[in-house]
Amino acid sequence: MRNRIALAAALTTGLVALTATAATAAPAEPGTAASGDTRACGDVKLSGALPVPPEGMAVRQDVSIGPDCEPVLGPARLVAKAGPAATARTARAAAQGDRQVRSWSEMYDCCNIRMTGLYTTSDWSSDGTVVTASSTEATQQWNREPWNAGWSLKSSGKSADCVANCAVSTNVADASFTYKGIFDLTGNVYANTHRSTVALKADGTASCEFEVDLKNTFIGWNWQRGCE
């Protein structure tokens, strides 16, 4: 019961951080593909944070673009990771005294098609005083359309301020995507930029922070992110 109360408090902290973050949705500029469409919302910038749950659990949260073009924050949901692979990984990490955390940041359109995504996997070990070793890998995914069209990866990168013998290892990954396809033949109207930051701590805990910049959006677009 005590662990559940502590985790609920941590989730509430993450939720407050998301709610308090500035989020803007600018009107669509004249001349874009979205011009004249009442569902168009222009540029949107969002950011927020989530606590990393205990081994074997995941925290998920959605933010959608509402009818008034304002972000609508969904609840932070704590769920169990499913499958034998997740169980085996949890047991192995516990036996070795190591931890692994995964984060994801995904943009979906109003038809629930994933447009772009940024994913990180971080492994670290600690002795309770310092992070003795850490590493983070980043991958990206994006939706393509027939005839060599759709979303494309423009650039990506990752960095870490410290990977060993530090109280906190802060790891940053970013990915920028452009779009040229059915909904815009010029390639100048839409773009997604994701940035994910994972802080790995000496006490074995961690936190995830997320940012996304969207160039021209629509009502019903949905940002899904989480940590496990």
Side-chain angles (χ1 to χ4, degrees):
M1 177 62 73
R2 181 178 301 172
N3 290 338
R4 290 183 180 179
I5 293 174
L7 185 56
L11 285 172
T12 301
T13 300
L15 184 61
V16 170
L18 283 164
T19 305
T21 300
T24 60
E29 297 180 0
T32 69
S35 179
D37 190 328
T38 57
R39 298 191 309 147
C41 295
D43 299 348
V44 171
K45 298 178 183 291
L46 297 168
S47 62
L50 286 173
V52 175
E55 289 286 353
M57 305 297 290
V59 176
R60 305 172 183 271
Q61 193 164 39
D62 302 346
V63 177
S64 59
I65 307 302
D68 56 357
C69 289
E70 291 296 322
V72 178
L73 180 66
R77 295 173 288 119
L78 180 66
V79 299
K81 290 193 291 185
T87 303
R89 186 166 55 246
T90 298
R92 183 171 61 253
Q96 296 175 347
D98 298 338
R99 285 215 63 184
Q100 182 181 89
V101 58
R102 296 177 57 250
S103 78
W104 61 93
S105 173
E106 300 176 318
M107 280 306 308
Y108 288 80
D109 67 13
C110 57
C111 297
N112 206 34
I113 296 173
R114 184 189 59 187
M115 297 179 287
T116 59
L118 173 62
Y119 311 86
T120 67
T121 300
S122 300
D123 294 277
W124 84 105
S125 57
S126 65
D127 61 8
T129 303
V130 297
V131 173
T132 54
S134 66
S135 64
T136 295
E137 297 298 327
T139 58
Q140 311 81 30
Q141 295 185 19
W142 55 95
N143 184 58
R144 296 294 292 167
E145 297 169 356
W147 307 290
N148 195 30
W151 289 93
S152 298
L153 179 65
K154 179 180 179 181
S155 64
S156 64
K158 65 173 184 174
S159 63
D161 63 350
C162 177
V163 296
N165 299 318
C166 40
V168 180
S169 174
T170 303
N171 299 262
V172 180
D174 59 77
S176 295
F177 303 88
T178 57
Y179 176 87
K180 184 176 182 180
I182 296 173
F183 300 101
D184 172 44
L185 299 179
T186 70
N188 298 321
V189 175
Y190 304 104
N192 288 181
T193 299
H194 298 255
R195 177 181 292 259
S196 297
T197 302
V198 180
L200 313 172
K201 304 175 184 179
D203 62 2
T205 63
S207 61
C208 297
E209 296 183 3
F210 306 92
E211 298 175 41
V212 64
D213 288 355
L214 311 175
K215 181 181 179 182
N216 288 314
T217 61
F218 287 87
I219 291 171
W221 281 22
N222 187 269
W223 183 29
Q224 300 183 17
R225 65 293 188 87
C227 295
E228 64 179 21

